[in-house]
Amino acid sequence: MDPRNHWQRVYTRRKPTEVSWYQPKAELSASLIEHIAPDRSLSIIDVGGGASTLVDGLLAVGYERITVLDVSSAALAAAAARLGAAAGRVTWLEADVLDAALPAPGYDVWHDRAVFHFLTDETDRHRYVEQVRASVRLGGHVLVATFAPDGPAKCSGLDVARYGPLELHGQFGSDFQLVESVREEHHTPAGVVQPFTYCLCRIKADAAAG
């Protein structure tokens, strides 16, 4: 399965408000980011952000350096169209996170809601963590949300890996200090409840390279 083709089909066949992961407001992610990054000049990347409304909320409270990465150009275009003129204040990056050319280190906050749980192959998960290590500064924060253990086993026709807080933190290793974990009961546009695990970590200032 080619991820680019898959997600491009999803976003060309369905409106952003119709996909199961849609949130009118990304309130939990935004509140956690505001808590750990009060300085609005810090650099934030939303991985798999696509058509997510998180960028709207971050812009509204004054963040100045936001990158939205997604493998689907259609998803990014939908978000940019929604923002209108404000889209010019965002860096849009069409890429697969596993092989994206990201600045090193370029970000203070890494956010991912519902990308990591699609990485069912151990090699892909290892590559993802390498990307985080290379592109987030020491002392920076990593916020990743996946389906909880009692969440769906599939999403958008694809298998997913489900995690509790300790299991999700364990994927990243001892250089990532677990700051907080939160459970979210996400209500899909169809009214289905999907439990998520949010894991907020800080990369230790003395973490070893790569």
Side-chain angles (χ1 to χ4, degrees):
M1 190 274 295
D2 184 330
R4 288 179 171 83
N5 290 338
H6 177 83
W7 294 112
Q8 190 72 354
R9 285 195 302 270
V10 169
Y11 279 103
T12 52
R13 295 175 180 178
R14 303 175 70 183
K15 297 177 181 178
T17 55
E18 295 174 340
V19 296
S20 64
W21 51 92
Y22 171 72
Q23 296 175 301
K25 293 184 178 179
E27 294 177 343
L28 179 54
S29 291
S31 66
L32 289 169
I33 290 172
E34 285 191 71
H35 177 68
I36 52 93
D39 181 352
R40 293 329 196 229
S41 69
L42 294 180
S43 181
I44 301 168
I45 183 169
D46 185 13
V47 173
S52 166
T53 58
L54 176 61
V55 64
D56 306 54
L58 295 178
L59 287 171
V61 295
Y63 285 100
E64 303 169 1
R65 299 166 61 203
I66 305 169
T67 297
V68 179
L69 178 151
D70 202 277
V71 73
S72 167
S73 61
L76 296 173
R82 186 184 65 238
L83 287 171
R89 298 161 54 195
V90 179
T91 299
W92 305 97
L93 182 57
E94 181 189 344
D96 184 328
V97 64
L98 298 183
D99 57 24
L102 301 175
Y107 304 107
D108 299 289
V109 178
W110 175 291
H111 173 268
D112 162 12
R113 177 180 179 270
V115 172
F116 189 77
H117 64 201
F118 285 108
L119 304 181
T120 57
D121 183 86
E122 184 178 0
T123 300
D124 288 342
R125 292 195 296 271
H126 180 71
R127 177 58 184 152
Y128 180 103
V129 174
E130 286 183 336
Q131 288 281 70
V132 174
R133 281 179 169 274
S135 59
V136 180
R137 67 171 179 82
L138 297 180
H141 289 84
V142 180
L143 175 57
V144 175
T146 69
F147 284 145
D150 55 338
K154 285 181 174 288
C155 181
S156 190
L158 303 178
D159 292 332
V160 299
R162 297 171 289 180
Y163 300 94
L166 295 181
E167 292 80 12
L168 185 51
H169 176 237
Q171 294 292 317
F172 289 82
S174 60
D175 284 340
F176 293 75
Q177 176 188 359
L178 181 60
V179 175
E180 185 175 1
S181 61
V182 182
R183 178 182 170 91
E184 178 187 52
E185 303 286 335
H186 168 62
H187 294 258
T188 73
V192 177
V193 177
Q194 296 179 336
F196 274 78
T197 296
Y198 284 66
C199 188
L200 174 62
C201 296
R202 178 179 176 273
I203 302 181
K204 295 178 181 178
D206 59 352

